[in-house]
Amino acid sequence: MSNARATNLTRRGILAAGGALGLGAVLAACGDEDTKSGGSDATGAAKASGPWTFKDDRGTTVKLDKVPANIVAFTGVAAALYDYGIQVKGVFGPTKTQDGKPDVQAGDMDISKVEILGNVWGQFSVEKYAALAPEVLITTMFDDAGTLWYIPEESKDKIAKLAPSVAVSVYDRQLTQPLERMWALAESLGADLKADKAVKAKQEFEAAAERLRKAAKARPEIKVMAGSASAELFYVSGTNLSIDLEYFKALGVNFIEPSEKAKAANGGGGWFEALSWENVDKYGADIIMMDDRAQALQPSVITEATWKKLPAVKAGQVIARSPEPILSYSKCTPLLTNLAEAIENAKKVS
């Protein structure tokens, strides 16, 4: 496993296609329910009682007199907890799109039932946060320095004084590790993980992983490229550091790998290589996985002629990738299934 660090990023690397680094991480590095949907009307924490203790991935142990009910979380974390029956009070991070619809990172949450403290990088209303009387703040980390994802640098001290924080690392490890950590966190908050729904979701994830393993073994000649697009640049991800790609690679998927030199040359910080649209054909891929987050240019609206000429694009072998996967088994299963199906059915075009 690589020990590369997400450093030396440039402002041109806004989408940082390699890892789950969006605009936020780049600028930071630059200095700066109802039963139908699977959630619950009340917090799952209400089912539990007594003192609450959880040791997070910073090694920090949070201790409270009771299981927290007033939870504020990064949107993707809140979406994962929702899948386990835990409803948070407030969220921060990409929650709704410009047309008011739920962002892809909001999952199945009813975003009208949560207080949105900030929807884009740098936004976090400390006043709204305080008004929620938060008992704990939960987010992820994309480095090994303990940096809390989507917490603004300028207000982090004020935020820290209002409630303790819990962080789940999604940096330089395989997807199964943060999935297990989120499972444990949800259970500590009162989720019933012995329920049929939770047990089945985990079993389906394991079955999907085995399907992808078999597909990759049967079609080792199929080359997969993980990409992301902006108006100016196309980003090619390396597999190191990103939890999804590290796991897929461990299952045998044959990924195109930009060299460490190429990733460092353009400020990719170990995550990605940035290409001009004129050079988007640098690598020959049979399948292209494209960043599905709102800040990335989606394949359907890419007009560059060089993109349209790519063999994988012409063959219709472009699928979505979730660089910031919602960390519940039910949400991660389709990621495995979709890639397995793409490999099983792919034509060799590179």
Side-chain angles (χ1 to χ4, degrees):
M1 182 175 293
S2 171
N3 289 317
R5 300 293 176 256
T7 57
N8 300 321
L9 296 172
T10 70
R11 290 183 183 271
R12 290 182 61 80
I14 285 179
L15 289 174
L21 297 181
L23 171 61
V26 177
L27 297 186
C30 289
D32 114 48
E33 147 166 21
D34 54 32
T35 56
K36 181 178 180 181
S37 62
S40 60
D41 291 328
T43 61
K47 301 174 185 177
S49 60
W52 183 75
T53 300
F54 191 83
K55 185 175 182 180
D56 75 359
D57 290 342
R58 297 169 297 181
T60 299
T61 299
V62 177
K63 298 181 179 180
L64 300 175
D65 293 336
K66 61 182 180 66
V67 176
N70 289 357
I71 302 170
V72 172
F74 172 69
T75 301
V77 170
L81 292 175
Y82 182 85
D83 285 349
Y84 292 128
I86 307 297
Q87 176 71 54
V88 307
K89 299 290 186 181
V91 297
F92 54 93
T95 306
K96 61 181 179 180
T97 59
Q98 292 183 347
D99 58 5
K101 295 180 180 179
D103 187 273
V104 65
Q105 295 191 62
D108 293 331
M109 281 194 303
D110 182 347
I111 62 174
S112 69
K113 293 184 177 180
V114 293
E115 182 74 49
I116 301 175
L117 308 181
N119 195 59
V120 299
W121 182 260
Q123 286 185 357
F124 190 110
S125 173
V126 179
E127 293 75 16
K128 289 182 178 180
Y129 181 54
L132 292 174
E135 294 172 280
V136 67
L137 179 147
I138 309 173
T139 188
T140 53
M141 298 184 298
F142 281 95
D143 60 28
D144 58 1
T147 305
L148 299 181
W149 189 232
Y150 262 78
I151 298 298
E153 178 69 23
E154 61 273 15
S155 56
K156 67 177 184 179
D157 293 337
K158 293 180 180 179
I159 294 168
K161 291 177 181 178
L162 294 172
S165 60
V166 167
V168 175
S169 179
V170 289
Y171 174 71
D172 197 14
R173 61 201 61 207
Q174 293 181 25
L175 176 61
T176 46
Q177 290 177 266
L179 272 173
E180 289 166 0
R181 294 294 286 147
M182 193 63 68
W183 175 277
L185 177 59
E187 186 172 40
S188 77
L189 293 170
D192 181 5
L193 300 184
K194 294 181 180 179
D196 289 345
K197 179 181 178 181
V199 172
K200 184 179 179 181
K202 195 170 186 180
Q203 290 173 338
E204 289 177 344
F205 174 86
E206 292 166 351
E210 183 59 26
R211 178 181 176 182
L212 179 56
R213 187 192 306 275
K214 290 180 178 178
K217 184 176 181 180
R219 304 292 307 278
E221 76 281 7
I222 298 300
K223 294 188 291 183
V224 180
M225 180 169 68
S228 186
S230 71
E232 297 81 18
L233 296 168
F234 183 84
Y235 305 89
V236 180
S237 169
T239 57
N240 288 337
L241 308 181
S242 299
I243 58 173
D244 61 328
L245 301 185
E246 284 202 11
Y247 184 51
F248 300 157
K249 182 179 180 180
L251 291 174
V253 176
N254 180 12
F255 279 102
I256 287 169
E257 297 278 5
S259 69
E260 293 301 318
K261 182 178 180 181
K263 289 185 289 186
N266 51 39
W271 294 87
F272 65 91
E273 176 183 3
L275 299 174
S276 66
W277 282 104
E278 290 77 11
N279 295 317
V280 74
D281 60 353
K282 178 178 179 178
Y283 300 105
D286 301 298
I287 296 171
I288 303 175
M289 302 175 68
M290 291 294 287
D291 187 342
D292 68 356
R293 292 173 298 173
Q295 71 261 38
L297 200 63
Q298 297 305 301
S300 61
V301 298
I302 297 176
T303 59
E304 298 289 342
T306 48
W307 163 261
K308 294 182 177 181
K309 290 179 181 178
L310 292 178
V313 176
K314 292 173 68 175
Q317 295 176 176
V318 178
I319 64 172
R321 176 199 170 204
S322 299
E324 292 186 68
I326 295 172
L327 297 172
S328 70
Y329 287 104
S330 63
K331 290 297 185 295
C332 288
T333 294
L335 309 182
L336 295 162
T337 301
N338 293 343
L339 181 54
E341 183 176 7
I343 293 174
E344 290 165 353
N345 299 325
K347 298 177 181 178
K348 180 65 181 176
V349 295
S350 65

